[in-house]
Amino acid sequence: MAVLDDPLDRLHLTTPAAMLGSTGICASVVVREGLSASGLAAIGVAVILIGVNPLAGHAVARAIAIRRGATWSDPQDEGHGLPGDEQ
């Protein structure tokens, strides 16, 4: 990671590793504890991490892009005003 100087490259490197490492720890808790309360809690944590981690990575990448000056526009909005605006 020290070799990469672009924040997006660093994010691309660390996001999958964070998800796989943390879900691996949750899987080891399930193997050790079985389907007890601790095991079910670990499954719940793993599901949350699998769902939230890509969204958080996308949000951080979008914030980096916006800070660099990127803009997004919806093709349907081009040439049209806001709903209810009269031109």
Side-chain angles (χ1 to χ4, degrees):
M1 192 168 138
V3 177
L4 302 173
D5 43 340
D6 187 37
L8 291 175
D9 289 337
R10 291 179 184 171
L11 183 67
H12 184 73
L13 179 70
T14 59
T15 301
M19 185 174 66
L20 292 175
S22 57
T23 53
I25 292 170
C26 292
S28 67
V29 170
V30 172
V31 168
R32 181 171 174 93
E33 299 294 326
L35 291 178
S36 64
S38 298
L40 292 176
I43 291 172
V45 168
V47 167
I48 290 170
L49 288 173
I50 289 170
V52 171
N53 197 4
L55 295 174
H58 177 80
V60 170
R62 187 172 174 128
I64 292 169
I66 289 172
R67 184 159 181 108
R68 289 180 176 176
T71 58
W72 282 270
S73 63
D74 190 358
Q76 295 177 350
D77 291 341
E78 292 178 9
H80 301 290
L82 294 174
D85 286 346
E86 298 297 324
Q87 292 181 338

